[in-house]
Amino acid sequence: MSQRQVLQVFEQYQKARTQFVQMVAELATRPQNIETLQNAGVMSLLRPLLLDVVPTIQQTAALALGRLANYNDDLAEAVVKGDILPQLVYSLAEQNRFYKKAAAFVLRAVGKHSPQLAQAIVDCGALDTLVICLEDFDPGVKEAAAWALGYIARHNAELSQAVVDAGAVPLLVLCIQEPEIALKRIAASALSDISKHSPELAQTVVDAGAIAHLAQMILNPDSKLKRQVLSALSQIAKHSVDLAEMVVEAEIFPVVLTCLKDKDEYVKKNASTLIREIAKHTPELSQLIVNAGGVAAVIDCIGSCKGNIRLPGIMMLGYVAAHSENLAMAVIISKGVPQLSVCLSEEPEDHIKAAAAWALGQIGRHTPEHARAVAVTNTLPVLLSLYMSTESSEDLQVKSKKAIKSILQKCTYLPALEPFLYDAPPNILKHVVGQFSKVLFPWIFRYTSAESGQLSTTYSLSKVLFSYSNSQWSIYE
Amino acid sequence: MATLVRLQARSKFVAQQYYFRNSVVDIFRKKEYDAAVKIQSWFRGCQVRAYIRNLHRVATIIQKWWRSYSGRQEYQLIVKFASCAMKMNLYNAMAVRIQRRWRGYRIRKYCFNYFYLKEYLKAVSETNDAIREALEEFAEMKEREEKKADLEREEKKRDYQARKTHYLLSTKQIPGIYNSPFRKDPDPWELRLQKAKPLTYQRSKVKQKRCISLSSWLACTSARSFPRSEILPPIDRKQCQGPFRDITEVLEQRYKPLEPTLWVAEPISELKVAREEFRRQEWMRDVNDNMISKLYYHHLISSQSTENYIQKLDKLSKVTFIFPGRRVPLRI
């Protein structure tokens, strides 16, 4: 046979291989095909194709493997068990950029399902190669590597620490400064996943100088990028006062308040999460937020969303009001209480109602003025009904009871207390009676004449009321 | 005897009289006795009453004096206590005044300033209003920008459409579909078609450059998602070096014109090279020239800059004897 005919055989084989692997990659995009593919034993067929001579076949095989592993964790485990990872990691270091993208995609698809799989990826030494990929000049490769690292670091603190030890953080901070939006998104998301586990990891991220760049990117018009940036900043700020102060020093206020008006719901949610994480640490930080007008912006944001998006905003109001009575008064004059009572009444979910009840309790517990401001909006009957209703969850009942107690102990606004006299249970009634006696005793004293007989009866009546309420307290407490 | 009889007749009468007089006296005796008793008792009573009256008068005087004395004592005590109490009240009132002022001052200065709080709350509410306004404006601006961007996109799409369907424009002979003769004025599309520049095939191909982002690349399922060649690469070709870049980039790199820096542009053996150059020129010329033209040439050279002159002189000095094909440098 001539040489040409011999070579034709080889060409046919190559064409067949290419077609097979491209079809498998295409089929793997549809979920209904994947079961069939798995039963047909596609893993064992794809594995040798990863070592193929032709680069295109290698790349397409890696792509197909990635799509399969992305689908569910059984397939990802099969990828791990089939010893494919070391080969991938080895060739990741040497091949061209398309192969690197595909291999990083496989690593990401495997690592996203569970901590054990991510640990398997770390154990075969993929982290160093991924970090080398982060230095590649092609932005697609960087994006794929950053994505894989982010998914690995998401699971727990040890994996995050492993990613940090591989030296990923400075490179991720460099990636954030790149001009491509997709790369920025993924790098911000990876930094957020790294810093969410512990204060030390967050400190590592801050030491690499991430905060300044993240703060600059808040102004970027792309919504998905803003989501990730705000999430990263809130994960950094949540751990300690120093980190929160560092985030604030990056001059995010009042720019972050514009994000509260964004069209995208998750941008609003992440922005209010960030403000909440900053406000919860100390009264000074809360004061800073109040001085910058943050409370009004958050209240407007609460008014414009529904459901879970509102929750961080509600909690932020609660945290601000909890620190001191001046801040609670600031929340009241920013018209926070009507908004919170609207949330309390109209939200269907119990955990959001519980948060609103807690926030109202924190606002109303300081002085009679505060309690009056809460009572005037007619929220106390709502809270009482939530406490008494059997459908409310345990958490909601506990929180509404605490809120009612703390508000009632300071409330001297009698029109709001009157409904309680009729339908409150005994343990709340004692507080109501106590408050009545506190308010009415000086009135009784003043308006009866100073004859000794009448005086003594009124005096003893009030004493009875007092002692009744106190004794009931002691019995029930 | 007469007297006796008379006396005896009277004796009964006397006895009667004696009895009656005694018994009458008895009656009177009782009466008199009672009267005497009454008188005596009255008198005695008057006596006793007078005595008691006297006693009363005396006792009153004594009691009066005693009571006034003890009342005065009490009164003095009361006055003393009242004056003490008044003084204490005065001191208390003074102390309360001082303490009131001091406490108010202390709280206002060191603990809590009500007016400052009021001002602060007012400032907070003003800031809130300002922020709310600013955010409203920001949201409106965003809306406007979005609308504008939408409109622009629409406009671009329509423009592109017009450019693609340029052939539907009406000509002098045939009115186009948008320019029906039954209409009063032509359809706006007609005007747009008139304004649009026709689209050429080449340009449209260049415009559809695919943007390379990872997720779109991975989700792209077509078999063309990898850069492929029309024919498969030959089996015995050895591995290409380096990463596969875009071919235009590669050619650009390969045939980039040389732009050396100034330092590189001048060779360090500039002098030597210049001399060589000159010598070559000379040799070329000297085949046909005679001495006179050489002298003329030398004159020409000497009129140039000194350095050049020196250079050329140096070269000239080296050239004295000319043998065809050979040069013998003469040392000076």
Side-chain angles (χ1 to χ4, degrees):
Chain A
M1 277 216 201
S2 78
Q3 193 186 14
R4 195 172 172 281
Q5 280 169 333
V6 169
L7 287 176
Q8 201 165 13
V9 173
F10 281 90
E11 274 194 37
Q12 267 179 355
Y13 180 47
Q14 184 172 325
K15 203 182 284 189
R17 288 201 314 273
T18 322
Q19 199 177 23
F20 168 70
V21 88
Q22 278 172 355
M23 286 310 296
V24 167
E26 203 166 328
L27 288 171
T29 54
R30 291 188 226 300
Q32 56 264 34
N33 297 335
I34 291 190
E35 297 284 335
T36 332
L37 284 171
Q38 192 181 3
N39 293 338
V42 69
M43 284 292 177
S44 42
L45 286 173
L46 281 177
R47 204 166 107 206
L49 289 174
L50 275 178
L51 308 169
D52 202 273
V53 188
V54 180
T56 323
I57 297 181
Q58 283 178 9
Q59 289 150 17
T60 326
L63 179 61
L65 263 177
R67 286 182 185 158
L68 286 169
N70 204 8
Y71 178 66
N72 71 5
D73 47 348
D74 289 329
L75 286 164
E77 271 205 53
V79 168
V80 171
K81 282 208 189 95
D83 271 339
I84 297 180
L85 290 178
Q87 174 57 36
L88 270 177
V89 170
Y90 174 68
S91 20
L92 196 62
E94 301 183 352
Q95 296 283 359
N96 62 31
R97 61 190 166 131
F98 299 106
Y99 188 82
K100 283 188 190 173
K101 272 197 244 183
F105 173 51
V106 176
L107 290 173
R108 158 166 66 105
V110 169
K112 82 174 190 191
H113 293 286
S114 80
Q116 290 78 18
L117 290 166
Q119 187 62 46
I121 294 186
V122 172
D123 289 337
C124 63
L127 284 180
D128 294 322
T129 1
L130 282 172
V131 168
I132 292 174
C133 283
L134 271 181
E135 291 175 315
D136 200 272
F137 56 82
D138 183 54
V141 173
K142 282 195 262 209
E143 194 182 325
W147 212 335
L149 287 169
Y151 273 27
I152 292 174
R154 188 178 282 196
H155 294 287
N156 60 30
E158 286 83 27
L159 289 164
S160 268
Q161 188 62 47
V163 169
V164 168
D165 290 337
V169 174
L171 292 167
L172 283 170
V173 173
L174 278 175
C175 284
I176 278 196
Q177 303 166 36
E178 296 280 327
E180 289 84 19
I181 294 274
L183 180 56
K184 284 200 224 242
R185 273 186 220 151
I186 305 292
S189 150
L191 285 174
S192 161
D193 288 328
I194 290 175
S195 50
K196 78 181 180 193
H197 296 286
S198 85
E200 292 81 25
L201 290 163
Q203 188 64 48
T204 323
V205 171
V206 168
D207 289 337
I211 290 187
H213 299 111
L214 288 170
Q216 273 171 1
M217 291 201 292
I218 295 181
L219 296 165
N220 198 298
D222 184 52
S223 323
K224 292 197 175 128
L225 176 62
K226 272 197 272 211
R227 274 189 217 175
Q228 302 299 337
V229 164
L230 290 168
S231 153
L233 285 171
S234 60
Q235 303 288 4
I236 292 175
K238 78 179 183 190
H239 293 288
S240 81
V241 186
D242 296 322
L243 289 166
E245 279 178 4
M246 269 196 259
V247 171
V248 169
E249 272 166 24
E251 290 178 19
I252 51 173
F253 289 101
V255 178
V256 116
L257 302 177
T258 59
C259 297
L260 285 169
K261 277 280 186 188
D262 202 273
K263 290 230 166 28
D264 191 34
E265 299 286 325
Y266 287 98
V267 172
K268 283 193 214 176
K269 183 176 181 210
N270 287 350
S272 33
T273 312
L274 172 61
I275 301 182
R276 174 192 81 188
E277 300 297 349
I278 293 177
K280 79 179 186 193
H281 291 289
T282 69
E284 286 81 25
L285 284 168
S286 301
Q287 180 113 38
L288 201 141
I289 295 176
V290 168
N291 290 350
V295 172
V298 167
I299 290 170
D300 286 347
C301 176
I302 291 177
S304 67
C305 347
K306 297 252 174 281
N308 255 323
I309 315 286
R310 275 175 166 170
L311 183 60
I314 296 175
M315 289 177 72
M316 179 255 175
L317 291 176
Y319 279 126
V320 166
H323 284 298
S324 86
E325 53 182 66
N326 298 341
L327 290 168
M329 189 50 91
V331 172
I332 291 173
I333 62 167
S334 316
K335 306 186 186 71
V337 180
Q339 192 61 255
L340 281 174
S341 43
V342 160
C343 288
L344 190 65
S345 357
E346 67 173 32
E347 280 292 329
E349 305 246 324
D350 272 353
H351 61 274
I352 305 180
K353 281 200 219 243
W358 170 76
L360 282 167
Q362 293 300 327
I363 293 177
R365 74 180 166 99
H366 299 280
T367 72
E369 286 292 322
H370 296 81
R372 186 205 168 93
V374 174
V376 155
T377 57
N378 280 332
T379 45
L380 291 176
V382 179
L383 281 172
L384 184 66
S385 63
L386 284 173
Y387 170 53
M388 307 275 282
S389 121
T390 45
E391 297 168 351
S392 328
S393 65
E394 181 90 27
D395 184 44
L396 174 58
Q397 279 182 345
V398 162
K399 290 212 163 89
S400 41
K401 176 180 174 210
K402 269 197 191 160
I404 293 177
K405 248 180 74 172
S406 49
I407 294 175
L408 279 180
Q409 271 168 358
K410 295 283 177 181
C411 183
T412 53
Y413 183 60
L414 297 179
L417 291 183
E418 271 166 41
F420 275 76
L421 285 174
Y422 301 116
D423 46 20
N427 52 350
I428 292 186
L429 193 59
K430 64 180 190 292
H431 292 295
V432 180
V433 169
Q435 286 301 113
F436 265 107
S437 64
K438 266 190 235 169
V439 174
L440 294 177
F441 174 58
W443 284 87
I444 296 171
F445 192 75
R446 200 192 303 173
Y447 284 109
T448 54
S449 59
E451 303 242 356
S452 46
Q454 278 187 333
L455 186 62
S456 63
T457 49
T458 56
Y459 184 63
S460 49
L461 173 68
S462 313
K463 284 270 281 187
V464 162
L465 280 174
F466 259 124
S467 56
Y468 169 72
S469 57
N470 286 337
S471 68
Q472 291 298 326
W473 192 335
S474 57
I475 288 173
Y476 280 96
E477 303 280 70
Chain B
M1 244 177 126
T3 351
L4 186 67
V5 157
R6 199 184 12 131
L7 270 159
Q8 259 182 355
R10 250 181 56 206
S11 76
K12 210 178 42 282
F13 183 68
V14 165
Q16 256 182 342
Q17 281 281 318
Y18 181 71
Y19 175 71
F20 279 125
R21 286 223 181 127
N22 279 348
S23 68
V24 163
V25 167
D26 263 341
I27 292 168
F28 283 127
R29 186 180 290 149
K30 190 151 184 22
K31 250 184 159 173
E32 280 168 10
Y33 176 72
D34 283 339
V37 161
K38 205 168 203 172
I39 290 169
Q40 284 178 13
S41 73
W42 195 268
F43 182 72
R44 285 201 180 121
C46 284
Q47 239 186 354
V48 163
R49 270 196 287 279
Y51 178 62
I52 286 177
R53 213 178 298 130
N54 196 30
L55 281 182
H56 274 313
R57 188 179 60 92
V58 167
T60 303
I61 291 173
I62 294 172
Q63 285 178 359
K64 179 177 74 168
W65 279 105
W66 172 252
R67 279 183 188 166
S68 69
Y69 168 76
S70 69
R72 261 190 295 276
Q73 301 298 358
E74 250 187 55
Y75 165 73
Q76 276 168 6
L77 265 180
I78 286 173
V79 162
K80 194 163 93 167
F81 285 139
S83 73
C84 265
M86 251 175 58
K87 281 192 205 140
M88 292 309 291
N89 281 347
L90 182 72
Y91 298 151
N92 271 345
M94 297 298 120
V96 163
R97 263 192 223 175
I98 296 172
Q99 285 178 8
R100 182 185 353 163
R101 292 292 186 145
W102 162 249
R103 280 183 191 169
Y105 168 77
R106 183 181 74 105
I107 294 285
R108 271 183 225 111
K109 182 165 177 186
Y110 297 118
C111 309
F112 171 68
N113 188 347
Y114 175 74
F115 291 102
Y116 181 75
L117 178 72
K118 276 286 187 220
E119 286 297 316
Y120 171 69
L121 289 173
K122 204 162 81 152
V124 163
S125 70
E126 275 168 15
T127 318
N128 283 347
D129 290 331
I131 289 273
R132 278 184 172 132
E133 267 178 42
L135 287 178
E136 283 284 329
E137 263 184 57
F138 177 76
E140 267 173 41
M141 189 190 70
K142 280 271 158 160
E143 283 263 347
R144 263 182 278 141
E145 272 181 11
E146 245 193 66
K147 276 202 198 104
K148 213 167 72 164
D150 280 337
L151 283 172
E152 268 179 21
R153 238 178 291 138
E154 276 287 321
E155 191 57 40
K156 255 178 86 167
K157 227 170 63 164
R158 286 212 193 96
D159 197 44
Y160 179 64
Q161 200 66 21
R163 288 182 73 186
K164 268 197 355 183
T165 56
H166 187 262
Y167 52 87
L168 293 174
L169 186 60
S170 59
T171 57
K172 197 163 174 198
Q173 287 289 343
I174 308 173
I177 55 172
Y178 294 118
N179 193 6
S180 160
F182 302 113
R183 284 169 69 103
K184 257 196 290 200
D185 14 90
D187 196 273
W189 267 107
E190 179 68 26
L191 302 163
R192 204 183 272 277
L193 284 172
Q194 280 177 8
K195 282 193 218 117
K197 221 167 63 152
L199 202 62
T200 57
Y201 184 59
Q202 283 305 98
R203 230 169 273 153
S204 71
K205 270 236 52 174
V206 166
K207 271 209 192 95
Q208 273 160 28
K209 223 168 123 79
R210 230 175 285 119
C211 70
I212 310 170
S213 108
L214 187 68
S215 36
S216 64
W217 172 76
L218 286 173
C220 172
T221 61
S222 83
R224 297 161 197 262
S225 52
F226 281 106
R228 57 173 186 113
S229 45
E230 303 295 325
I231 34 170
L232 290 175
I235 293 175
D236 57 347
R237 196 176 69 166
K238 61 177 190 297
Q239 186 85 4
C240 280
Q241 286 178 6
F244 289 109
R245 302 193 83 160
D246 205 6
I247 190 66
T248 46
E249 283 178 44
V250 170
L251 293 175
E252 218 180 313
Q253 280 282 12
R254 198 177 287 170
Y255 297 116
K256 203 157 64 167
L258 182 67
E259 293 162 22
T261 60
L262 206 60
W263 187 77
V264 173
E266 291 276 293
I268 46 173
S269 54
E270 177 227 0
L271 195 60
K272 207 162 158 188
V273 161
R275 282 183 203 156
E276 286 288 328
E277 177 67 18
F278 183 71
R279 213 177 288 156
R280 226 180 297 126
Q281 275 179 13
E282 274 283 304
W283 188 78
M284 259 174 18
R285 249 184 300 274
D286 282 341
V287 170
N288 295 321
D289 282 352
N290 50 14
M291 200 53 100
I292 299 169
S293 59
K294 210 190 343 183
L295 277 174
Y296 176 62
Y297 193 61
H298 174 60
H299 169 75
L300 271 182
I301 285 169
S302 64
S303 63
Q304 287 169 11
S305 71
T306 0
E307 193 175 339
N308 274 350
Y309 173 74
I310 294 170
Q311 270 181 4
K312 308 301 180 205
L313 199 57
D314 214 5
K315 285 175 208 144
L316 260 188
S317 67
K318 290 204 169 116
V319 175
T320 43
F321 291 110
I322 297 139
F323 295 111
R326 265 185 54 192
R327 301 212 174 197
V328 177
L330 185 70
R331 296 189 208 285
I332 296 183

